[in-house]
Amino acid sequence: MKRFHRLAALLAATAIALLPTTASADVAYPDPLPLTGQQIIHDPTVHQLSDGQYVAYSTGGIIGARLSTNLRDWTDAGNAFTAPPSWWYDYNATADPWAPDLSYRDGRYWLYYAVSSWGTNHSAIGVATSPSGLPGTWTDHGPAFTSETTDSWNAIDPALVRADGELWMAFGSYWTGIRMVRLDPKTGKAIPGATVTHLATRPDAPYAVEGASILHHGRYYYLFASYDACCAGVNSTYKIRVGRSTSVTGPYADSTGTPMLEGGGDLFLSSHGRYTGPGGESTFHTHGRTWLAYHYYDATDNGTPKLGLNALSWTRDGWPAPL
């Protein structure tokens, strides 16, 4: 979810062997790759597992799972967890998890996710591990980081990144925007007393920026974030903006030099044609390429949330662009 949704969403994706062949409705925004099978999704995180399969986890009442052998054809694979951990009910009456983030390190897969309730920052980011990354194999380790109503940030929408031998987690939704905290790589949880760094916000309330994802490429860290309103089907105004920094903790700025703490951020992907309100993004690497995974609301299918996948290209001056 990104702050205000509780959608029953599932996952899907597309093929690395192919680039878009359909005509784009807007030359600035190429269409995502065509998919088959189960395509419904929200807040996707995609990863290639050690057995060669691709797994996608997403928001939607459960942390739903989808599997593919080729990034094009996707099948339903159930739920990441066989049962909700009991501590989830402290943050959500129906134990509804949001916005997962999947990564691999130290011989294990790590799954981060948020648990919160509509319109509050009484929130938690949980962490679980698995030897295979497959649904049904996760061991939950409880909250990795929390926020309370007295805080000026919201502990949802986790996004992990490693930098200079340290482990960091970007997070945040509304409540002054995107933040970052350092994690203990052994426990995967926030270091007690660690500084919470501010990465991006809007100059005006309600500070509608959330769903961070950080990508390291060349000498820069790139901060992608979702701006404006999700979760309203064809009325969604979500869009993805990006800035960069030579340091993982910022300051991040767009191509004009405007800091993301002052409302900056280059427009990276916006509504075009049937693809309404793209956001909830994450990145992953496979077969020598970097891909952006996100959801959009299909204007030809009553605003159903679906998975978009676009490979990334890079401009001469080092900015990402969707293919």
Side-chain angles (χ1 to χ4, degrees), residues 33-282:
L33 295 179
L35 307 177
T36 63
Q38 179 55 260
Q39 301 179 39
I40 302 172
I41 197 167
H42 220 274
D43 306 331
T45 181
V46 180
H47 199 88
Q48 186 174 25
L49 303 177
S50 57
D51 66 1
Q53 293 187 95
Y54 296 91
V55 66
Y57 288 107
S58 73
T59 290
I62 61 174
I63 299 178
R66 297 288 182 272
L67 291 172
S68 175
T69 60
N70 59 11
L71 269 187
R72 170 184 287 275
D73 311 306
W74 290 84
T75 58
D76 186 0
N79 189 355
F81 294 95
T82 55
S86 60
W87 69 266
W88 290 8
Y89 292 96
D90 295 336
Y91 294 90
N92 184 284
T94 59
D96 183 1
W98 307 336
D101 177 87
L102 179 62
S103 58
Y104 180 84
R105 60 183 171 82
D106 300 331
R108 292 188 290 176
Y109 293 91
W110 297 73
L111 186 68
Y112 288 78
Y113 57 87
V115 187
S116 186
S117 295
W118 190 282
T120 179
N121 66 332
H122 172 63
S123 308
I125 293 171
V127 59
T129 57
S130 165
S132 67
L134 291 169
T137 67
W138 293 96
T139 299
D140 191 70
H141 302 291
F145 186 72
T146 63
S147 63
E148 296 300 334
T149 56
T150 53
D151 291 318
S152 59
W153 55 78
N154 193 10
I156 71 170
D157 296 358
L160 276 286
V161 61
R162 284 179 282 187
D164 301 322
E166 295 179 336
L167 185 65
W168 300 85
M169 181 175 69
F171 66 92
S173 169
Y174 291 60
W175 278 275
T176 71
I178 306 301
R179 303 276 179 155
M180 172 173 274
V181 67
R182 191 155 66 95
L183 304 183
D184 181 336
K186 292 183 179 179
T187 65
K189 299 183 178 185
I191 295 172
T195 299
V196 176
T197 304
H198 206 179
L199 301 185
T201 190
R202 303 283 287 273
D204 53 333
Y207 314 108
V209 53
E210 57 190 6
S213 179
I214 297 180
L215 171 66
H216 188 210
H217 179 83
R219 57 188 290 260
Y220 291 104
Y221 294 90
Y222 294 83
L223 172 60
F224 296 86
S226 299
Y227 284 61
D228 297 323
C230 79
C231 317
V234 295
N235 295 315
S236 300
T237 59
Y238 240 19
K239 56 184 66 69
I240 301 171
R241 293 186 178 271
V242 64
R244 71 184 184 187
S245 172
T246 55
S247 169
V248 72
T249 55
Y252 288 86
D254 63 24
S255 61
T256 70
T258 303
M260 293 185 79
L261 281 171
E262 299 177 12
D266 289 344
L267 189 58
F268 179 82
L269 191 62
S270 187
S271 297
H272 61 287
R274 61 186 275 202
Y275 307 102
T276 303
E281 74 289 334
S282 62

